[in-house]
Amino acid sequence: MKIYNTLTKRLEEFVPIEENKVTMYVCGPTVYNLIHIGNARPMIVFDTFRRYMTYRGYEVDYVSNFTDVDDKIIKAANEEGVSSSEISERYIAECKKDMEGLNVMPATVHPKATEEIPEMIDMISTLIDQGYAYAASDGTVYYRTRKFSDYGKLSGKNIDELESGHRSEGHALKVSGTEDREDDLDFVLWKPKKEGEPYWKSPWCDGRPGWHIECSCMSKKYLGDTIDIHAGGEDLIFPHHENEIAQSEAANGKPFAHYWMHNGFLNIDNQKMSKSLGNFFTVRDISEKYDLQVLRFFMLSAQYRSPLNFSDALMESAKAGFERIKNAVSNLSDIEKSGADTPMTDEEKKNLEAADSFKERFNEAMDSDLNTADAISVIFELVKHANTTAKEGCSKEYAAALRKEILTLGDVMGLILETKAEVLDEDIERLIEERQQARKDKNFARADEIRDELLSKGIQLKDTREGVKWSRI
Ligand SMILES: [Zn+2]
């Protein structure tokens, strides 16, 4: 698989540190509000990357954090008169609901900043010991940016440019603090508490961590000093990811991540999304109008590094496209029910082989820096192939094989193409009784049919000495 690496600015063959394993860290949201659709893009694309790598046989360790201590959280807490943990816990729960709707798998670990404070204090202490950080007189700890000679290697910015940018317009690195900071480029690792803010004890002062240090610590703790892939939105390249590299590589003395993946911006009607322009949408807003699967499908309709434009018209067209695929699956399922119980004809076998070649092309598209746009085109071609070759009267086996092919590719994209009908307990009991009767009547064909029917609805039967037991799978 080839991945565009922001660090080297090239497409590179993906070679994992450990064979068949991927260690991956994706920066997660700051939880002070419902997540917006811009937050959803990295969640969806990197979840798709994870699903694809899993499908190709890799074991993926996927860590994504929740930043649960931050100025915005504290502000929201003060406005509501509640604790900041109440705000962060509420929005972590809401974020998880949205993720479920978007069919984003839970990470292997979802660390929270407030639960990793000792690790952050440890890393900051190491940086101080090594001369990469220092505590000012008020207890603020700064990173000595200039001392890290590789600073700027991810974003392509050099120290001199940063410095002149600083003087002219006030740079992103600039933070208010005490003025015994040695250099304007130094960024904060730890800051003293203010009235009404949550704080932790530290060797320097009662206070809280700066934003960047949590990701360095969590990545190290859960995945190791050097990981395969670090990912996030392109807005994080500078200063967040640049600072993470400075912290981790100075503290660990090893490369931080081999590949850096960044998704492009999401615009709304060709404009930047912002509350002031009134074009700000949360995932929850979208869920009122669309199945969130449509939003997922829409986000994957572009390659992840391209900017993506969101508009009503484009969402409508995503909806129509997504439904076209779902309809094909449901037609195949109907044909499967009514189709001929005969072996596949030669023609069907040939058509199925043709369908297999779509799978190869799908893999090629995904191997090419996760080109989900091309992968979706291949799914559409497969759908077209299914619609023209699987007709009333074709063999059940053929319809079933095609349905499985589409579902497999849909699953790699995290798209739910089939909704399992809700089966009521009483229906299950009735079918089990009917099956028992069929067995008594030695009508084993009917008994097996019922077993299969239940299985297709996600109900597994087990014949035990105490009778038939069933469970949902
Ligand atoms: Zn991060």
Side-chain angles (χ1 to χ4, degrees):
M1 167 162 209
K2 283 201 161 54
I3 292 175
Y4 180 85
N5 189 352
T6 313
L7 187 61
T8 57
K9 290 154 198 74
R10 283 199 312 248
L11 264 185
E12 288 179 0
E13 190 63 37
F14 176 67
V15 183
I17 298 168
E18 210 181 306
E19 210 181 335
N20 298 323
K21 267 198 87 167
V22 182
T23 45
M24 181 165 188
Y25 186 96
V26 183
C27 292
T30 301
V31 278
Y32 66 100
N33 205 338
L34 292 171
I35 59 164
H36 57 73
I37 56 176
N39 300 128
R41 190 173 187 198
M43 287 179 182
I44 293 168
V45 299
F46 298 118
D47 176 68
T48 305
F49 179 82
R50 175 193 189 181
R51 286 171 182 270
Y52 179 64
M53 295 310 262
T54 308
Y55 162 73
R56 294 307 297 266
Y58 289 90
E59 185 192 317
V60 186
D61 261 351
Y62 189 100
V63 176
S64 188
N65 64 312
F66 285 119
T67 298
D68 64 345
V69 56
D70 172 89
D71 289 345
K72 287 176 184 154
I73 298 173
I74 295 166
K75 186 166 169 264
N78 291 343
E79 277 167 11
E80 277 193 37
V82 297
S83 68
S84 45
S85 64
E86 190 171 330
I87 295 287
S88 59
E89 286 306 317
R90 182 197 306 159
Y91 290 112
I92 286 173
E94 296 297 343
C95 176
K96 287 184 172 169
K97 273 190 222 164
D98 289 335
M99 283 168 63
E100 203 183 321
L102 295 164
N103 201 24
V104 168
M105 292 197 291
T108 318
V109 194
H110 276 294
K112 298 176 204 163
T114 56
E115 291 173 1
E116 310 288 338
I117 303 287
E119 286 78 1
M120 294 193 234
I121 290 176
D122 269 1
M123 190 177 275
I124 297 170
S125 303
T126 306
L127 290 168
I128 291 177
D129 291 347
Q130 293 171 338
Y132 281 101
Y134 59 94
S137 56
D138 69 342
T140 307
V141 182
Y142 293 102
Y143 187 96
R144 207 169 255 135
T145 304
R146 230 173 255 283
K147 183 163 166 71
F148 184 68
S149 56
D150 275 346
Y151 196 82
K153 68 176 173 182
L154 182 72
S155 57
K157 295 181 191 291
N158 74 43
I159 289 274
D160 296 331
E161 264 172 34
L162 288 175
E163 200 168 40
S164 59
H166 225 309
R167 274 197 298 266
S168 57
E169 56 198 66
H171 207 274
L173 278 179
K174 197 169 171 76
V175 273
S176 57
T178 60
E179 286 322 315
D180 54 357
R181 178 163 47 177
E182 292 172 2
D183 190 310
D184 276 356
L185 296 180
D186 295 351
F187 61 88
V188 171
L189 298 173
W190 186 267
K191 53 187 160 191
K193 69 171 177 188
K194 285 195 208 129
E195 193 58 37
E197 290 187 356
Y199 67 91
W200 290 265
K201 295 223 159 295
S202 84
W204 317 288
C205 63
D206 288 352
R208 59 187 169 100
W211 171 37
H212 316 297
I213 193 74
E214 66 183 70
C215 292
S216 283
C217 293
M218 293 165 178
S219 182
K220 177 184 173 76
K221 178 173 172 184
Y222 296 101
L223 299 168
D225 287 353
T226 305
I227 65 170
D228 290 309
I229 300 167
H230 195 111
E234 70 178 12
D235 53 324
L236 296 182
I237 296 174
F238 185 83
H240 185 53
H241 287 164
E242 198 71 75
N243 290 354
E244 283 186 36
I245 293 177
Q247 294 163 162
S248 294
E249 299 197 348
N252 303 328
K254 289 177 194 163
F256 182 31
H258 286 166
Y259 303 86
W260 286 83
M261 294 174 79
H262 293 99
N263 65 275
F265 285 118
L266 180 83
N267 293 317
I268 314 288
D269 291 321
N270 296 310
Q271 277 184 308
K272 205 176 160 197
M273 178 165 84
S274 82
K275 280 192 176 144
S276 59
L277 286 173
N279 64 359
F280 185 91
F281 298 108
T282 64
V283 169
R284 210 55 64 85
D285 292 334
I286 304 302
S287 76
E288 281 165 20
K289 202 166 162 197
Y290 295 99
D291 175 354
L292 286 181
Q293 285 292 294
V294 173
L295 184 61
R296 182 173 182 119
F297 183 79
F298 164 76
M299 295 261 186
L300 295 176
S301 65
Q303 200 265 356
Y304 74 96
R305 286 195 297 124
S306 326
L308 178 61
N309 190 41
F310 177 96
S311 69
D312 281 344
L314 291 168
M315 275 300 278
E316 283 302 321
S317 111
K319 185 181 172 196
F322 183 59
E323 275 170 8
R324 185 140 50 98
I325 305 176
K326 279 178 74 168
N327 286 341
V329 171
S330 126
N331 285 342
L332 288 168
S333 168
D334 289 345
I335 294 173
E336 229 177 294
K337 281 181 206 133
S338 63
D341 233 342
T342 49
M344 269 195 265
T345 62
D346 287 346
E347 198 190 340
E348 285 171 348
K349 279 184 193 154
K350 223 171 70 204
N351 284 334
L352 191 60
E353 259 171 50
D356 278 340
S357 72
F358 290 110
K359 208 154 56 183
E360 280 161 35
R361 286 176 44 218
F362 174 89
N363 290 354
E364 272 166 34
M366 296 293 267
D367 278 343
S368 165
D369 197 23
L370 200 75
N371 196 333
T372 52
D374 283 358
I376 286 179
S377 308
V378 176
I379 296 181
F380 277 129
E381 285 180 51
L382 177 58
V383 161
K384 197 172 159 203
H385 180 73
N387 289 345
T388 46
T389 60
K391 298 256 191 254
E392 210 70 44
C394 78
S395 76
K396 280 184 185 202
E397 202 186 342
Y398 179 62
L402 278 182
R403 186 170 136 263
K404 195 166 154 250
E405 296 243 359
I406 300 175
L407 289 179
T408 303
L409 301 190
D411 200 44
V412 176
M413 308 291 266
L415 296 169
I416 301 170
L417 298 173
E418 216 174 27
T419 27
K420 274 201 180 124
E422 191 56 48
V423 203
L424 298 170
D425 289 8
E426 52 193 292
D427 288 335
I428 299 166
E429 299 294 349
R430 185 181 50 75
L431 282 164
I432 290 176
E433 257 172 55
E434 197 191 326
R435 177 168 168 270
Q436 293 301 85
Q437 190 56 49
R439 286 171 63 153
K440 264 189 219 151
D441 300 344
K442 302 221 182 307
N443 183 355
F444 297 114
R446 176 63 189 144
D448 287 349
E449 204 175 274
I450 292 171
R451 171 187 284 264
D452 291 347
E453 184 185 338
L454 285 170
L455 200 59
S456 75
K457 288 176 174 156
I459 308 294
Q460 194 161 38
L461 299 184
K462 206 172 164 194
D463 294 306
T464 72
R465 255 184 291 176
E466 295 83 42
V468 183
K469 298 250 164 76
W470 63 269
S471 57
R472 287 182 199 273
I473 48 169

